[in-house]
Amino acid sequence: MGKTLRVLSMLLLAVVSASAQESKPAAPAAEYKIPPEAAKMANPVKPTAASIAQGKKMYEIDCEMCHGKDGDGKGDLAADMKAKLADYHDPAALKDHTDGELFYIIKNGKGEMPSEGDRAKPDAIWNLVNYIRSLAKKEPSTK
Ligand code: HEC
């Protein structure tokens, strides 16, 4: 993104969030909602060794600075942001999320997390899902 555009979008964001705060002062942060169709989406990519390896490669470039080495949640950027991230080695960390939900979060971002958006092909995002799932357990997920 160009510098001017970046500055502009930050300004815009500041204006929008300022006016949002004015209109509902005591409202809690809007709840993050994943559309049910998205949550139910089946993972079309089998968690093969090749898929997981692809996911890991991309993870190291796009995610590790926040989610930490091998998903331990201790990335440098997360520390800077004072974000507390889950340790994906803990099987409890992702157990309440379907693959479809993980896909949605990775594609669209969440809170402080930037979206992959159109930078990543769907299969690349499924590879990421397969990779982070593989951290908690060794046997491949069939979902
Ligand atoms: C700038 C830091 C940052 C980057 C880069 C980032 N994330 Fe996140 N991620 C977060 C934060 C912060 C949350 C928690 C968001 C919330 O719940 O408000 C999160 C949440 C998630 C979640 C939801 C489950 C959970 O642990 O809360 C998944 C899955 C996830 N990230 C995967 C990824 C993947 C895969 C990448 C790389 C493509 C990535 N993230 C890149 C900061 C980041």
Side-chain angles (χ1 to χ4, degrees):
M1 202 191 286
K3 224 181 195 151
T4 322
L5 204 62
R6 194 188 288 256
V7 170
L8 272 177
S9 56
M10 275 166 66
L11 275 176
L12 193 69
L13 207 69
V15 170
V16 169
S17 48
S19 58
Q21 270 163 19
E22 265 167 38
S23 53
K24 13 178 177 143
E31 204 189 324
Y32 184 82
K33 281 219 174 66
I34 297 177
E37 322 80 77
K40 274 194 294 219
M41 198 152 64
N43 185 340
V45 178
K46 291 257 176 307
T48 58
S51 160
I52 289 170
Q54 281 297 319
K56 179 174 164 66
K57 228 196 242 165
M58 194 158 155
Y59 176 91
E60 285 167 355
I61 299 166
D62 279 355
C63 323
E64 191 171 291
M65 65 282 214
C66 286
H67 287 278
K69 186 156 169 43
D70 302 326
D72 66 4
K74 300 191 174 68
D76 294 339
L77 191 52
D80 289 350
M81 289 162 44
K82 308 219 182 319
K84 274 228 163 53
L85 294 182
D87 177 355
Y88 292 153
H89 295 118
D90 179 355
L94 297 174
K95 80 169 174 25
D96 294 334
H97 291 290
T98 62
D99 279 9
E101 286 172 345
L102 298 178
F103 180 94
Y104 183 90
I105 293 170
I106 296 168
K107 181 165 171 58
N108 299 289
K110 182 180 179 199
E112 310 259 21
M113 174 170 153
S115 66
E116 279 294 296
D118 297 330
R119 278 194 298 154
K121 294 218 163 60
D123 277 8
I125 297 181
W126 290 118
N127 288 337
L128 280 165
V129 171
N130 288 338
Y131 171 65
I132 58 176
R133 281 250 193 253
S134 78
L135 299 170
K137 51 184 165 65
K138 285 292 164 236
E139 72 274 15
S141 147
T142 46
K143 262 195 278 174

